[in-house]
Amino acid sequence: MSNNDVILKAERLDKSYRMGATRVDVLRGLDLTVKRGEFVAIIGASGSGKSTLLHILGALDKPDKGAVSFEGRILGRQSGRELNRFRNKMVGFVFQFYHLLDELSVLENVFLPAMASKSVLGWLGCRRRAKRRAMELLVQLGLGERVKHKPYQLSGGERQRVAIARALMNEPKLLLADEPTGNLDSATGNGILDVFDKLNKAGQTIVMVTHDDRIAQRAGRIITLADGKIRS
C-alpha cells in the first residue's frame, strides 16, 4: 500500500478517563489505517471505545498518547484554526441522535456548515451557491419535499438523511458515522445504509462504528475493537 492510498492513520493511540478514583483505559496502543475510498466498519461491544476512537479520528477529542494523521499531516501538530478547518471542511460527522437544530428549517440545517466557515461578507458572496448545493443534496436523499419543514416534523429516518446531507455539505474527504442506524428500525436503518453504500461507490471514504454485526456486514471491511485494541 503506498502512502498516497492512505487517507487516515492512527498510531499507538492511548486514551483513558477518570471515574472517581478509578482510571478506565479505553484505548491501548491502537493502530488503524484507512485507505482512500474505503468503507470501514468498526464493531465492538458497548463501552469498547468505538465512539472515543471516532471522536479522536475526527479531532473532536485528543489521545493521551499516539498520533492521528490525515493525508500525511499529524493532527496533533496543527493549530486550533487548522483543526477547525479540518473539522469543517475535511470531515463530515453523522451521529446517532442527529443533532439537528429544531428552530431552523431542513434546508438551513444542511447549509449551516457552509455558513459557519465564512465571515458575514463571505457568506453573502456564496450563500446562493451554498443553498443550491444544500437543495441538490436533499433532493438526492429523497427530501426535496421537506426543505421547509422543521426537523421535529420529520420521521427518524428523514432526520438522519438531513444529518447526512449536512455532513456532506462541504464535500468532505472523510465521513465519520457513529451508530448512524442506532435510533432507527431495521427497515429505515437499511435505507440509511443504502445511502452510505451509494456514497461509497461514488468514491466517499466512510468510517462507521456500530455494535451490530448485521450493520457492519454492509461495509467493505470490518474491524473489531476489543480491550482497547483492534483484534485482527
Side-chain angles (χ1 to χ4, degrees):
M1 188 194 315
S2 77
N3 283 337
N4 288 339
D5 291 334
V6 175
I7 190 168
L8 188 67
K9 190 169 191 176
E11 297 177 277
R12 300 182 299 281
L13 295 186
D14 283 0
K15 185 69 179 179
S16 62
Y17 295 103
R18 294 214 76 86
M19 293 182 72
T22 312
R23 192 179 88 161
V24 180
D25 293 319
V26 184
L27 302 177
R28 312 173 193 218
L30 181 142
D31 293 311
L32 171 68
T33 300
V34 178
K35 289 192 290 185
R36 205 176 298 280
E38 268 199 297
F39 182 1
V40 177
I42 299 171
I43 190 166
S46 184
S48 62
K50 303 183 303 296
S51 293
T52 299
L53 173 59
L54 206 73
H55 290 171
I56 289 172
L57 295 178
L60 296 175
D61 198 357
K62 291 180 180 177
D64 298 332
K65 290 182 184 171
V68 175
S69 305
F70 179 80
E71 295 189 322
R73 298 185 69 198
I74 295 173
L75 295 182
R77 292 181 185 164
Q78 296 189 18
S79 67
R81 176 181 276 184
E82 286 171 326
L83 285 176
N84 282 337
R85 186 180 180 280
F86 168 77
R87 288 185 287 255
N88 183 258
K89 297 278 190 190
M90 298 294 156
V91 188
F93 296 95
V94 180
F95 300 102
Q96 180 176 348
F97 295 105
Y98 324 128
H99 296 309
L100 301 173
L101 298 176
D102 273 341
E103 63 271 25
L104 300 182
S105 71
V106 162
L107 187 68
E108 288 165 340
N109 267 282
V110 173
F111 67 62
L112 201 58
M115 195 175 176
S117 64
K118 297 281 189 289
S119 65
V120 174
L121 279 176
W123 171 243
L124 289 173
C126 77
R127 66 180 171 182
R128 187 172 294 169
R129 188 169 67 249
K131 288 178 181 180
R132 188 165 61 241
R133 169 153 175 82
M135 188 72 202
E136 285 168 359
L137 285 166
L138 287 165
V139 169
Q140 280 173 27
L141 290 165
L143 293 166
E145 304 293 310
R146 294 280 194 262
V147 293
K148 292 182 180 175
H149 285 63
K150 297 287 173 63
Y152 62 80
Q153 297 174 303
L154 306 181
S155 69
E158 287 172 330
R159 275 182 274 178
Q160 193 59 294
R161 285 169 188 262
V162 174
I164 292 169
R166 179 187 58 194
L168 296 171
M169 180 65 205
N170 285 340
E171 300 180 67
K173 294 183 177 182
L174 175 66
L175 194 63
L176 299 177
D178 190 358
E179 298 277 8
T181 63
N183 236 19
L184 307 170
D185 62 66
S186 62
T188 309
N190 277 331
I192 295 302
L193 293 168
D194 288 342
V195 171
F196 282 175
D197 192 43
K198 199 171 177 181
L199 288 168
N200 179 241
K201 282 188 168 72
Q204 181 70 57
T205 307
I206 303 172
V207 179
M208 171 180 75
V209 303
T210 179
H211 66 277
D212 189 329
D213 186 58
R214 184 182 53 83
I215 288 161
Q217 295 294 335
R218 297 289 297 269
R221 178 161 65 108
I222 300 173
I223 290 168
T224 304
L225 197 56
D227 301 321
K229 291 183 178 179
I230 282 168
R231 198 172 66 210
S232 50

